[in-house]
Amino acid sequence: MSSNFDKYFENGGSLKQGVLEEHVWLRFLTCTDNVYVNAERLESMGSLSGRETLMYVIRTLDILDEVAGRDKLGSRVKEIVETTLKWSEVAKGGLSKERKTWIEKGYPLDIHNIASAEIYKDVTGDAGTIYTLIKTHGIVGQCIRGEISVSANAPLIDIKDDEKKAILMSLNECIIRAASENIWNNIKKSVESLIDRIIAGDLSEFTAQYRLQKLCPREIEFFENDVKFFEKNIFPKFELWYFESALSDFNMGQIRTILSNTLDAINRSGKEVRHLNFKPLSDSLYYDYEGKKHVNIYKKRIIEKYILDSSVQNVDIDVKIENGSAFVDFKFSSVCEKLIDFCVEAERSGLLTFEKSIIVLYDMFGFRRDAFDRLNNEDKYLKTMNDVTSSTKDSIIDYVVGESVVDVGSGGGILLDKLEKSYPDKKVIGTDISANVIETLNQKKNRDGHKWEVQVHNFVDDTMDPKVGSIIFSSILHEIYSYTETDGGRFEIDSVKKALRNAYDSLNKGGRIIIRDGVKTKGSYPLSIRFKTEAGLDFFKNYMNDFKGLKDIPEEKKVSSIDEKTLTVTGDVNFIREFLYTYTWGAESYAHEVQEQFGYFTLSEYKEFFNELGAKIIFAEELLEPGYPDNLGKLVELLDEKGNPAEYPDSNCIIIAEKQIT
């Protein structure tokens, strides 16, 4: 434990005798029935202990000891900073009776620096330097994050102290480092620069452009109209609390709508508001998945629908105004809340029946039902997919030509990164039909410093302009085939043909379409699977009922026999192939994989189609990804019609088609 923890607590974690009488600040933080935590700082929502605020203060005191030794702070400076740190969070503590008294006195407990200063003055009678430091506690950091105006630091100018810089620098290092060492390392120069300005009496404001960039560090695209909106409606009027933790997963258009609706609610109330506090939204927007905190994508999608159309029922913005603060959240109908709870529990369970059930609700939430809308198991799925297919994903990059290359259906951005690394001088463009995927990719680009660009685009509907050198369809055409609704429903080859024709028309002369995807087995013959467990046979029966692809094969031929005793099934090679390459991903991915038909063209059908387009086939090969038999061999035996061990049908193909120059 830390040295400061040991000052107040025994080895077992209980308080030492008499410390509460001597240290009133400690009593407020330890004897409390109020748990006040910033969800932004949590790795897991389930990790709450109730001591988060106390332990944060202890960390600040430990850091102060380190800083005092390093910078040789005088005893008086250290005492001022130490007292400030001890009292700066007390408004987050206290028992219900004490908190009720503070509220009756008008202390804004959710603006904890102001309330803590008043509580300190009540207890000590001191309204001098330490009172001012508590009242302005954290404001330097908030200025640098763009949340409040520089002028909020005005009280610090009046502090008459020869060692003001040492006090302010050490205080801010303690409170910022205790939250995050990385944040402190990134902004300490900015902190020092702002403190120098405050000491010099310079409270000139940062530009609206600068503040907006700091407010939305993960948001790439905002325009002049966005800057003007904040400059006119937000920055001169309000301080922003918990803005980034609540809104960083929304795009700028959505943020503007949320703010506009919040301002409307404030105007209707007729009350004076100085603070926009988004902590309620930040707290309610997260939940745990596999032990880690994630945005509740179900709530977020419903909020997004409301943002597009405020008449949407079951959800509305919820703005509560108290003591000059507007607390922003969204409220959901009880039915909506139950659906959200169901989806969360279904996702957590990983059970096949729940995974199937969740598909029924997708249309209600407007989800894409494909490999790149897997919610919080997406990272795990993409890692598994990448491990299995890394060899062919790497090899197709070698066929890229021209000055620009498009990755269709970029998903998690894995191929974009590979292309950027392999071709630093080419323009790399990612596309997806989902605005949410593009939003996430833009955040990744900004966070990791990539140069590639992304845009919403669907080749089924349109060509690209300007034309490009290469277009890559890596594991995406089968999704176009499986999810595009046509006059004939889903699983219609015309959707693939339209996408490829539009892609071909989007190429410069000499440009290439590069395809890596599933391949359909030519012909028809029986193939059998002998499962090694009864669970495998149950999985197969579910697949029989749920898979709607292979419309060209009569139902009675898809599965010709099931032997319960030997756990053996026999069916058409293409049905068996589709099942096997779904089964390999397991129950957690079943609800998504069963929606898709992996093979839609045979290799010869690919060649015929590109010949009709007038393209030159540079390379065409079908193959079996080694990851499939390696994984499936633990689960099944594959048999031919005579009961002998059979080879797995090819799973994938690579096609390189070039647009003729003449």
Side-chain angles (χ1 to χ4, degrees), residues 22 126 143 163 283 289 354 452 515 540 591 616:
E22 184 180 352
D126 177 20
C143 285
E163 298 179 288
D283 290 346
Y289 178 79
F354 281 96
W452 39 253
I515 298 169
F540 182 83
K616 179 182 178 182

Side-chain angles (χ1 to χ4, degrees), residues 342-387:
F342 168 79
C343 290
V344 168
E345 292 308 315
E347 185 180 78
R348 282 174 175 161
S349 71
L351 298 175
L352 180 60
T353 52
F354 281 96
E355 287 285 344
K356 287 169 61 180
S357 299
I358 211 170
I359 288 292
V360 177
L361 302 178
Y362 272 18
D363 286 336
M364 296 179 65
F365 291 102
F367 287 120
R368 282 178 61 198
R369 294 172 294 174
D370 60 25
F372 296 112
D373 205 0
R374 294 175 183 277
L375 313 174
N376 288 321
N377 69 351
E378 178 178 341
D379 291 341
K380 181 194 297 183
Y381 173 84
L382 290 177
K383 182 180 185 302
T384 304
M385 177 73 80
N386 225 34
D387 290 345

Side-chain angles (χ1 to χ4, degrees), residues 570-583:
T570 302
D572 181 89
V573 61
N574 274 298
F575 186 84
I576 297 298
R577 176 186 50 74
E578 290 292 335
F579 168 76
L580 287 171
Y581 303 142
T582 295
Y583 188 37

Side-chain angles (χ1 to χ4, degrees), residues 90-320:
V90 292
K92 296 178 181 178
L95 295 170
S96 297
K97 183 178 180 180
E98 291 167 319
R99 295 181 65 79
K100 183 179 178 182
T101 300
W102 295 337
I103 291 170
E104 289 172 350
K105 290 183 176 182
Y107 301 163
L109 299 186
D110 285 287
I111 310 299
H112 61 270
N113 53 341
I114 296 175
S116 295
E118 297 304 325
I119 295 167
Y120 168 79
K121 186 171 71 171
D122 272 355
V123 174
T124 66
D126 177 20
T129 295
I130 292 173
Y131 169 81
T132 300
L133 290 171
I134 296 171
K135 196 170 185 178
T136 55
H137 168 259
I139 283 181
V140 167
Q142 285 182 279
C143 285
I144 291 169
R145 289 178 66 158
E147 294 173 336
I148 65 176
S149 61
V150 177
S151 59
N153 292 282
L156 292 172
I157 294 176
D158 296 329
I159 294 177
K160 306 299 181 185
D161 198 299
D162 294 338
E163 298 179 288
K164 186 188 293 188
K165 182 168 181 178
I167 292 170
L168 293 179
M169 281 299 297
S170 56
L171 175 62
N172 279 279
E173 180 174 353
C174 292
I175 63 179
I176 296 171
R177 275 184 61 192
S180 168
E181 290 277 357
N182 286 336
I183 291 176
W184 170 248
N185 290 332
N186 289 333
I187 70 169
K188 60 183 175 182
K189 290 183 179 178
S190 299
V191 169
E192 184 171 13
S193 175
L194 182 55
I195 287 173
D196 285 342
R197 284 179 52 192
I198 293 167
I199 292 172
D202 176 10
L203 297 180
S204 57
E205 299 294 348
F206 295 125
T207 66
Q209 174 88 13
Y210 172 89
R211 287 186 66 179
L212 193 51
Q213 287 173 333
K214 296 299 181 181
L215 272 178
C216 305
R218 285 184 277 178
E219 171 62 44
I220 324 238
E221 273 196 304
F222 57 82
F223 303 97
E224 186 61 29
N225 285 341
D226 298 312
V227 177
K228 289 179 179 177
F229 172 82
F230 276 81
E231 188 174 35
K232 178 182 177 182
N233 300 293
I234 304 299
F235 292 149
K237 302 177 181 178
F238 304 105
E239 293 182 0
L240 303 174
W241 287 67
Y242 303 95
F243 182 94
E244 184 184 351
S245 62
L247 299 178
S248 62
D249 285 289
F250 295 93
N251 64 41
M252 183 54 67
Q254 293 166 338
I255 290 171
R256 278 188 61 175
T257 301
I258 292 171
L259 288 172
S260 295
N261 291 349
T262 300
L263 296 180
D264 288 344
I266 292 171
N267 290 336
R268 288 195 300 271
S269 74
K271 297 179 180 179
E272 288 292 324
V273 170
R274 180 57 187 158
H275 312 280
L276 301 185
N277 192 320
F278 295 92
K279 188 174 190 299
L281 176 57
S282 174
D283 290 346
S284 68
L285 202 56
Y286 297 100
Y287 76 112
D288 285 347
Y289 178 79
E290 295 193 343
K292 289 189 176 181
K293 181 188 70 177
H294 288 272
V295 170
N296 189 325
I297 194 69
Y298 306 101
K299 282 189 176 182
K300 182 171 181 281
R301 291 293 174 80
I302 297 170
I303 291 170
E304 287 169 348
K305 280 195 169 186
Y306 164 83
I307 289 169
L308 288 172
D309 180 5
S310 60
S311 67
V312 170
Q313 296 182 348
N314 295 316
V315 60
D316 198 0
I317 197 163
D318 185 21
V319 181
K320 292 183 172 65

Side-chain angles (χ1 to χ4, degrees), residues 1 24 35 225 268 377 520 625:
M1 281 293 177
V24 179
V35 179
N225 285 341
R268 288 195 300 271
N377 69 351
K520 194 172 182 180
E625 287 286 357

